[in-house]
Amino acid sequence: MKRTTITLTALLAGLGMANAETVAPANVMYEDGAVAQSLTGVAGDPVEGKKIASTKSMGNCIACHEVTDLADAPFHGEVGPILDGAGDRWSEAELRGIVANAKMTFEDSMMPSFYKTSGFIRLGKAYTGKPHEGDVAPLLSAQQIEDVVAYLQTLK
């Protein structure tokens, strides 16, 4: 009976994760810049988050931030704060809010809003000088945001 209960509990927990819905960018709830609710209901993967933070075609966090843990990646920026100790300075909810839309916490931030799809001014089509056409996709997916947050939490 005990094994059946444990198995059933694990199965129901797994179904809850499988049925977790992704929070759309327009539905993200910010409270003083922080986002308490996971955007996916799935735990972030710090290994993937590290990859996203250091890859130019993804998050490219090191373009603006220095991260000692990413010393093997070239050309760290000096525009944003050093991210060493980010996991001690900010909570998970605060990190999620900052990565999703830093302007909700730091109004004058130059950091891109990685999980925003509306409210842009003069959004262009790449480098063509022409206006953007159609719907705007976020720079990172909800799960990529969760992965970056999980990685930043390891920087203590």
Side-chain angles (χ1 to χ4, degrees), residues 7 57 90 102 148:
T7 304
S57 63
W90 296 293
V148 171

Side-chain angles (χ1 to χ4, degrees), residues 31-138:
E31 185 173 322
D32 295 325
V35 178
Q37 178 185 354
S38 168
L39 300 177
T40 62
V42 176
D45 178 352
V47 174
E48 279 300 307
K50 182 176 183 175
K51 180 179 164 187
I52 293 163
S54 61
T55 302
K56 288 184 180 186
S57 63
M58 294 173 145
N60 197 22
C61 301
I62 61 167
C64 296
H65 300 278
E66 181 180 338
V67 184
T68 302
D69 185 52
L70 298 174
D72 58 328
F75 309 115
H76 290 238
E78 298 176 351
V79 174
I82 295 174
L83 293 181
D84 295 356
D88 288 328
R89 287 194 305 265
W90 296 293
S91 70
E92 177 182 359
E94 290 168 327
L95 288 169
R96 186 178 294 111
I98 292 168
V99 175
N101 187 350
K103 290 163 185 61
M104 299 300 282
T105 302
F106 307 110
E107 187 177 330
D108 295 326
S109 177
M110 294 176 58
M111 185 168 155
S113 299
F114 286 98
Y115 201 61
K116 180 178 175 180
T117 58
S118 64
F120 297 105
I121 299 170
R122 296 180 301 180
L123 188 60
K125 181 178 178 183
Y127 302 101
T128 63
K130 297 180 180 177
H132 178 64
E133 298 172 4
D135 293 335
V136 177

